[in-house]
Amino acid sequence: MLALRLARGTHPLVLVRRLLVAAASAGVGFLLLCTLAYASTHPAYSTASVLRLLWCFVPLAATVQFAVAVARTDPSTRPRPGLSAVGLGPIRLGVLAAVSTAVSCTLGSMVALLVFLYLRGDLTGLPFDGAAGLLGAGAPLPMAATLVLLTVVPVAAAAASAMALRTRPLQAAVPEDGTQDIVPDEQIPAPAAPPTGLPWGVALTAAGLAVEAYASRDGAGRAFPLPGIPDATPTWVLAGWSLTAIGLATAGPGLTHLCGQLLQAVRPGAVRLLAGRVLMDEARRIGRPLGVVCAVLSAAIAAIALYGTGPRHFGPLTALGAVLVLGCTTATLLTSALEAKQARAHLVQTLLRLGAPASALRAATALRVGVLLVVFAPITWAIAELAALPLTG
């Protein structure tokens, strides 16, 4: 009830982000229901059904990541001084964030069920044109399996949000209009300790590329092109791409910290020093979603290299999954950038009170974005080329 009351009085931008979470949950729920329909109409192809279900976990993971990022930027779940006195400590705020996330994802799952039943013709008696084979129209769906699949996204997103917010430190409350509720300490903080996951991220990325290269060739040694339909893709290709994505997400904070060090190299000025220190401080917050975006973009570039000149066999469900993954990862990166902006709002206000020009702050922001593009863009292209090389060779 408290989560619903807070949702009524929240800022419209916060509601838009929650609606985006609900839309992503609806897309994943629809993919899971289509997988269940395929398994019900093709009981002899259990391996293909399991592989389709495994492919659904890619947009599921992207949706959960986006839901956690939205929960972290929700003003109603941000810890503030004095809330513990009224019973809203870190644990209670984590539960509140989990409930809010579960409500949004449950709404999306219900929408997915209604759309799925409507297209199958279960509500109107006549299936949508072309949906008979795709959605298994006419075949009964097991009720228990349907409910279990529809609860996967809400439960996973709620649990991840509660875990992410349970140990979040106390910080200044920054509403959507940019004002502050409390005045923090005006001392500029020192940069955080450098992340330690860069070597592990490089090792996981290399292992993922090796697994993809091994799985992309058949027994005769010929290149095995990635197909456009999920059930024809080898399982090890999915495993290799997953290792690559985990490796880039692990290496992302270290690479971001390295970008901050590059900005401060060779006698930096005030703008470069400020940009580098802020980037080093935000390495853990934006590094992981940036690494995931690089993994998704590298997979997209590899797919374009494979199918750019030949006929495309991508079905509507494959296109839906690709849109979900690209959209959720990009939205997660933007949301994490918004969280970083909220976290350093007190620093910006302190610098402005000390007489720093606003143009210098904008230049520092441009420098941060520029150095991230200079470092991460070649890495993304190189990984995409290495992933596509054995498939096109």
Side-chain angles (χ1 to χ4, degrees), residues 185-190 347 350-351 354:
D185 188 5
E186 294 188 1
Q187 181 180 1
I188 295 173
L347 174 62
T350 300
L351 293 175
L354 293 176

Side-chain angles (χ1 to χ4, degrees), residues 303-326:
I304 293 175
L306 290 173
Y307 300 103
T309 58
R312 293 175 174 81
H313 304 285
F314 296 103
L317 298 182
T318 304
L320 176 60
V323 169
L324 284 173
V325 173
L326 286 172

Side-chain angles (χ1 to χ4, degrees), residues 14-29 59 62-71 73 97 100-109 153-154 157-158 161 324 328 331-332 335:
V14 180
L15 291 178
V16 170
R17 292 198 292 266
R18 291 177 179 174
L19 289 178
L20 290 177
V21 172
S25 176
V28 176
T63 301
V64 171
Q65 184 192 27
F66 178 44
V68 171
V70 170
T73 56
S100 300
T101 303
V103 170
S104 300
C105 294
T106 302
L107 175 62
S109 297
V153 180
S161 300
L324 284 173
C328 288
T332 300
T335 307

